[in-house]
Amino acid sequence: MTEFNLLVGGPSNMWPVDLAQQITVPWIAADRGALRLLDLGITPQVAVGDFDSLTTAELATVQAQVADLRYAVTDKDETDTELALALALTELQATRVTLYGATGGRLDHLLDNLFMLLQPRFLPYCQRVRIIDRQNNLRLFLPGVHTITQEAGQHYLAFAPLTAVTGLTLYDTKYKLTNADYEQPIMFASNQFTQKSATFSFRTGVVAVIQSHD
């Protein structure tokens, strides 16, 4: 498995409390995420972005400590997060990418970080990506039968078709569902595990699964 962590620009108060200890997996940084990682004592393997959120002195610090910087123009169609994720999944051929700093703050940034996974270039790889913050663990799934394991401390389980979905079945959660079809996005919140794992399936579409706690 080739695994990377990716820090993007969301507020630090939504980071998991143990973020600074996540040093066994190499890091990629999007824009100001590079400086934030350096402040935590973590040197990213790659930093990507236009770096317009950094002062001249801050950029000099990043340039002095990060060996691989990928510069982007400021006026572009892609966000720095998209550029960093594309780098991880294509050039670095990551089999798992965990996004931190992708939630909280501006709602347009949150939705962009979620909806980018539905882009045709990312969709085939979406099951390799996780979005994690202090309260939530989000993953996307493609059609098939899937079994997920309950994460430590996560008491709630939610299923959210993000597209039209057919045949959604929840086999062994507290609230079950059998062969249901939906033509638009919908959220099934506040479900729960009844054992250490849960199995679900669907025939077409994309489903987000969120584990969370209060």
Side-chain angles (χ1 to χ4, degrees):
M1 177 181 290
T2 304
E3 185 173 356
F4 288 90
N5 293 328
L6 170 55
L7 184 63
V8 302
S12 60
N13 63 0
M14 290 300 294
W15 294 351
V17 293
D18 64 343
L19 185 68
Q21 281 73 54
Q22 302 295 326
I23 57 175
T24 59
V25 173
W27 282 87
I28 300 169
D31 200 75
R32 193 173 185 83
L35 186 66
R36 290 174 153 186
L37 286 175
L38 293 175
D39 288 342
L40 293 174
I42 299 171
T43 301
Q45 179 173 316
V46 188
V48 184
D50 53 32
F51 303 104
D52 62 349
S53 65
L54 301 181
T55 67
T56 301
E58 290 171 338
L59 180 56
T61 297
V62 171
Q63 291 170 328
Q65 298 187 55
V66 180
D68 190 351
L69 288 179
R70 310 291 180 94
Y71 295 93
V73 298
T74 301
D75 294 325
K76 57 188 184 299
D77 293 329
E78 299 173 289
T79 67
D80 293 329
T81 300
E82 289 176 61
L83 293 173
L85 183 61
L87 171 70
L89 292 173
T90 56
E91 180 178 333
L92 300 178
Q93 298 185 331
T95 54
R96 171 175 285 180
V97 181
T98 302
L99 269 67
Y100 298 95
T103 65
R106 285 172 50 180
L107 285 177
D108 59 333
H109 287 169
L110 168 62
L111 292 174
D112 186 70
N113 291 332
L114 176 60
F115 292 159
M116 73 175 177
L117 299 177
L118 300 177
Q119 295 178 21
R121 60 174 172 162
F122 292 135
L123 189 58
Y125 308 105
C126 70
Q127 293 183 164
R128 302 182 186 184
V129 180
R130 302 182 299 171
I131 296 177
I132 293 179
D133 66 21
R134 189 166 294 219
Q135 286 184 268
N136 309 281
N137 181 330
L138 181 148
R139 295 177 62 193
L140 265 58
F141 290 88
L142 298 174
V145 180
H146 305 280
T147 298
I148 56 174
T149 301
Q150 184 177 14
E151 301 283 346
Q154 303 292 52
H155 304 301
Y156 299 108
L157 181 61
F159 296 86
L162 298 180
T163 65
V165 165
T166 61
L168 180 59
T169 299
L170 311 180
Y171 293 94
D172 47 16
T173 50
K174 181 177 181 179
Y175 304 107
K176 297 178 175 59
L177 196 62
T178 303
N179 200 31
D181 299 341
Y182 301 94
E183 296 183 355
Q184 70 289 316
I186 189 171
M187 172 66 73
F188 296 104
S190 298
N191 208 331
Q192 295 179 29
F193 287 90
T194 59
Q195 50 196 20
K196 292 298 183 181
S197 63
T199 299
F200 65 98
S201 66
F202 57 104
R203 293 191 299 274
T204 63
V206 182
V207 174
V209 177
I210 304 168
Q211 298 190 44
S212 58
H213 65 271
D214 288 324

